[in-house]
Amino acid sequence: MRPPYALLAATTLLLATAGCDVLKNEPDLPSPEPAALALAAGLADGDLSSLEWDSTEADPTQQLGTTVEHMDGVARTVTAEVGTPVEEQDKATAPVTLRWSWDLGNREWTYDTTTDLVLRNQTWQASWSRELVEPSLSESEVLDRQTIAAQRGPITGQRDVPLVTLRPVVRVGVDRSMVPFESAADSARKLAELVGIKPRPYVKAVRTAGDKAFVEAIVYRADDVPTQVRGVGDIRGARTIRADAVLGPTADFARPILGRVGPVTAEMIAEEPGRWSVGDVAGISGLSARYDEQLAGSDGVTVDAVTTDSDRREVFRVDAQDGAALKTSLDENMQFAAESALADLEPAAALVAIRPSDGAVLAAASGPGANGVNIATYGQAAPGSTFKIVSSLALLRAGITPDDSLECSPTTVVDGKTFGNYSDYPSAFLGRIPLRTALAQSCNTAFLNARGSLGKSDLEAAAASLGFGIDHDLGAPAYFGQIPTPESKTEAAADLIGQGAVLASPMAMATVLASVVAGKTVVPQIVTTVPVEVPEETTPLTSKEAGTLREMLRGVVTDGSGSGFLDVPGKPVIAKTGTAEFDREGKRLTHAWMVAAQGDLAVAVFVDEGASGSRTAGPVLEEFLRSR
């Protein structure tokens, strides 16, 4: 909702006095300008006590306050234009036009009212009437401002399925109109204990609320209300209200990316005090926050003239403009499948699925171990041997064919540092082996021993051709990976096997494999209205290069560490495992990676702490593919 508007002390008076020559020729008539000035100022700031009034029994300041009380303190300005004074017999009057302007947020309400000042005892006096405030008001009517709430636009996914939209909820709280003040704190405490929230802050909120306020304690989805809520009726003043709230399909569904809608935070109010006030509802994280203006739309407003008998008539109206939908590429079913596959993992983990044909990110899930952090599209970790897809392309471009032999030695030394293979590397594949076998068996030393074939920027160029390291604004947080300029020969060698200074997100590695499948450089897309394109300076990936990589990655499944995907139903799977060692709190740990593609789908799985790609990340990815 759009924020209410704080009362501003705003009085801008523009006095354009007609008939100045008449006043100069009438020295016995004092100028009406000061009185008009005071009248306009008093109407604007709500204090009419400084004016002289022409025989009125009512207190004009009190009458004014009653008339505008239900305008909710929105800012108003009043200016005055004084006409030529008229003297008839023993009576002099001066016509005054009062120009009103109310700041109603998305539109200004302006109009004129008129009155005559009367000269009595050489003092210009005003006459109170509610027509001073609005020209059509009778003495039994007051102004009443009502907000017309705009309907928030949904965040949609594939096939325009609403992902974040209005869903039925049950609000539980204490209704202060149903409980006397002396009992309110006790009711609040009992309700807090019943629904499992902290009693002290809730009791304070109830005690300080107005005597007609509904003080919300907790909100449940309509189909997820716990049985203990049935006890609300036994607490004086406590009740439930059925309503709608902007929510995803579940509390955690793609939440790090889609974000959530709720009461604005103190930080938001401090940053934009003119936009937000306590109690406003807005997008407060993720896409819901970034595209809040588009999604929220614009509230409308009506101003009615209301009588003491509650009869009302409309005097001004601005219709609400509902928010527009934000279209994303996410597929609801695939996102559910991704989150289900990650559900039982304790370490931080993520799964990203991309459709290679158009780059659509169909799923981007961060597991429960991520604690709400978006590591799916923005995580940064060494990709390990999954990066050998990039290294293989660089070697192919250097003239090495899949069948050319490389030296897979037990260890190799680069500038004094010894590199080896993973601990249970099969000895049968040591010695001279083809590049395709080095990739299938993930021989580190084979790639390191071939480093002399590559130029200084060849690895970075190959990565860019596969969509890695290309920065784009996807309309959502995105990290495409990096290959910094190596600081040493050792670091340059480590980069070849996805260690060194190379960093990637799960989305970046899914993009690499998606490019292999598509036969072209893929740029992923999440917010479909944000255009994406491959930078002109990127060397295009050729269909021949992609075909060769697909053939080699199929060998990972048929003859290497991805054999678990051999019996996955459907089209043949291509894959690559990966592990990356790192130190944390004095311990040597391992990131586990797995990337795989089947048909028009490329998937990457990352587990922050695992045994290996095939044993930790592989089963998660396999479950996801089998669940489709």
Side-chain angles (χ1 to χ4, degrees):
M1 297 178 61
R2 300 265 67 84
Y5 298 88
L7 177 62
L8 303 177
T11 309
T12 305
L13 299 167
L14 305 174
L15 298 174
T17 306
C20 292
D21 291 340
V22 174
L23 290 177
K24 290 179 181 178
N25 296 332
E26 298 289 347
D28 294 337
L29 290 180
S31 171
E33 292 180 11
L37 181 74
L39 176 60
L43 291 170
D45 63 25
D47 184 2
L48 298 170
S49 60
S50 65
L51 278 79
E52 295 287 339
W53 292 92
D54 181 23
S55 62
T56 179
E57 297 181 1
D59 177 358
T61 297
Q62 182 179 7
Q63 287 291 313
L64 174 61
T66 300
T67 306
V68 301
E69 178 182 2
H70 298 296
M71 288 298 289
D72 300 332
V74 298
R76 63 180 185 264
T77 61
V78 185
T79 63
E81 183 176 313
V82 184
T84 304
V86 177
E87 187 172 16
E88 298 177 353
Q89 298 179 354
D90 60 346
K91 181 179 180 181
T93 60
V96 178
T97 298
L98 298 164
R99 292 183 173 162
W100 288 75
S101 178
W102 297 83
D103 182 3
L104 298 178
N106 59 344
R107 186 168 172 181
E108 197 173 31
W109 180 32
T110 59
Y111 56 86
D112 292 347
T113 63
T114 59
T115 189
D116 286 333
L117 299 178
V118 178
L119 184 65
R120 297 188 187 281
N121 299 323
Q122 295 293 55
T123 301
W124 291 101
Q125 298 180 353
S127 297
W128 169 257
S129 166
R130 293 192 178 181
E131 293 178 5
L132 283 174
V133 179
E134 200 281 330
S136 70
L137 284 181
S138 71
E139 291 306 302
S140 64
E141 291 178 318
V142 298
L143 295 177
D144 182 33
R145 173 185 177 272
Q146 297 286 332
T147 297
I148 306 172
Q151 181 169 315
R152 192 174 181 89
I155 300 178
T156 63
Q158 292 289 316
R159 301 171 297 281
D160 292 327
V161 172
L163 302 179
V164 178
T165 189
L166 284 174
R167 301 180 191 275
V169 297
V170 174
R171 302 184 182 277
V172 182
V174 170
D175 189 334
R176 286 283 286 105
S177 67
M178 299 171 60
V179 58
F181 177 77
E182 57 271 16
S183 302
D186 182 60
S187 294
R189 188 175 298 105
K190 290 178 179 177
L191 182 60
E193 293 171 351
L194 178 70
V195 299
I197 64 173
K198 294 180 179 179
R200 180 173 293 181
Y202 185 62
V203 169
K204 181 180 179 180
V206 171
R207 294 185 68 174
T208 57
D211 58 8
K212 295 182 180 180
F214 176 77
V215 187
E216 185 177 283
I218 197 168
V219 180
Y220 297 105
R221 292 171 182 265
D223 56 358
D224 195 28
V225 180
T227 56
Q228 68 263 27
V229 173
R230 297 172 185 171
V232 167
D234 298 330
I235 301 172
R236 189 175 184 182
R239 68 188 185 103
T240 59
I241 297 176
R242 291 193 172 272
D244 291 320
V246 180
L247 300 169
T250 66
D252 298 322
F253 182 90
R255 185 165 174 172
I257 292 176
L258 300 179
R260 67 186 184 93
V261 176
V264 296
T265 64
E267 291 78 9
M268 292 171 67
I269 296 173
E271 289 177 4
E272 298 183 83
R275 181 182 181 189
W276 305 121
S277 298
V278 175
D280 291 344
V281 173
I284 58 177
S285 63
L287 297 181
S288 295
R290 179 166 180 174
Y291 294 92
D292 184 70
E293 289 192 16
Q294 171 183 330
L295 292 163
S298 178
D299 287 347
V301 64
T302 63
V303 180
D304 295 339
V306 183
T307 68
T308 53
D309 295 328
S310 298
D311 293 331
R312 64 174 59 232
R313 59 184 178 83
E314 188 176 283
V315 295
F316 180 76
R317 180 185 185 90
V318 176
D319 289 326
Q321 296 181 351
D322 290 341
L326 178 68
K327 297 184 178 182
T328 75
S329 60
L330 296 179
D331 181 281
E332 184 179 37
N333 293 331
M334 285 201 183
Q335 183 70 23
F336 273 128
E339 292 179 358
S340 176
L342 296 170
D344 295 331
L345 286 175
E346 291 186 8
L351 186 154
V352 174
I354 293 177
R355 186 165 56 208
S357 58
D358 61 4
V361 177
L362 302 177
S366 299
N371 296 318
V373 176
N374 173 20
I375 62 174
T377 69
Y378 205 68
Q380 300 176 26
S385 291
T386 58
F387 194 72
K388 288 173 182 169
I389 302 172
V390 174
S391 302
S392 294
L393 176 60
L395 292 175
L396 290 173
R397 287 179 171 177
I400 298 176
T401 73
D403 295 317
D404 285 345
S405 294
L406 305 179
E407 181 62 34
C408 180
S409 52
T411 61
T412 191
V413 178
V414 179
D415 201 24
K417 179 177 175 59
T418 300
F419 290 87
N421 296 310
Y422 55 90
S423 59
D424 55 348
Y425 183 83
S427 59
F429 295 102
L430 290 172
R432 301 290 294 180
I433 60 173
L435 172 60
R436 66 171 74 253
T437 303
L439 181 65
Q441 300 300 326
S442 203
C443 177
N444 290 338
T445 58
F447 282 86
L448 295 173
N449 290 330
R451 67 188 183 279
S453 302
L454 300 178
K456 184 176 181 180
S457 60
D458 287 354
L459 188 64
E460 185 177 358
S465 296
L466 294 170
F468 187 98
I470 303 176
D471 285 333
H472 288 279
D473 179 11
L474 301 187
Y479 180 71
F480 287 90
Q482 65 174 16
I483 312 174
T485 301
E487 296 183 357
S488 65
K489 293 180 180 179
T490 299
E491 186 174 288
D495 287 347
L496 277 170
I497 57 174
Q499 298 259 197
V502 175
L503 293 175
S505 67
M507 183 190 69
M509 294 316 302
T511 300
V512 166
L513 194 56
S515 297
V516 172
V517 173
K520 62 181 180 180
T521 305
V522 169
V523 179
Q525 187 173 51
I526 297 176
V527 177
T528 60
T529 54
V530 176
V532 295
E533 58 183 16
V534 181
E536 292 182 0
E537 62 271 20
T538 299
T539 303
L541 178 68
T542 68
S543 58
K544 181 179 179 181
E545 291 170 338
T548 301
L549 288 172
R550 288 195 296 269
E551 179 189 354
M552 292 169 65
L553 291 170
R554 177 58 180 169
V556 175
V557 176
T558 58
D559 302 308
S561 55
S563 59
F565 293 93
L566 268 173
D567 62 348
V568 172
K571 295 181 178 181
V573 176
I574 62 175
K576 183 68 189 82
T577 56
T579 57
E581 293 183 340
F582 68 100
D583 294 325
R584 177 180 292 157
E585 297 178 353
K587 296 180 180 179
R588 178 61 56 91
L589 302 171
T590 301
H591 295 315
W593 288 86
M594 188 85 190
V595 295
Q598 184 179 39
D600 195 18
L601 185 68
V603 187
V605 170
F606 165 76
V607 182
D608 183 48
E609 297 179 20
S612 67
S614 59
R615 285 184 287 169
T616 306
V620 175
L621 204 156
E622 183 181 349
E623 178 184 339
F624 175 76
L625 290 181
R626 291 181 182 277
S627 68
R628 296 190 300 125

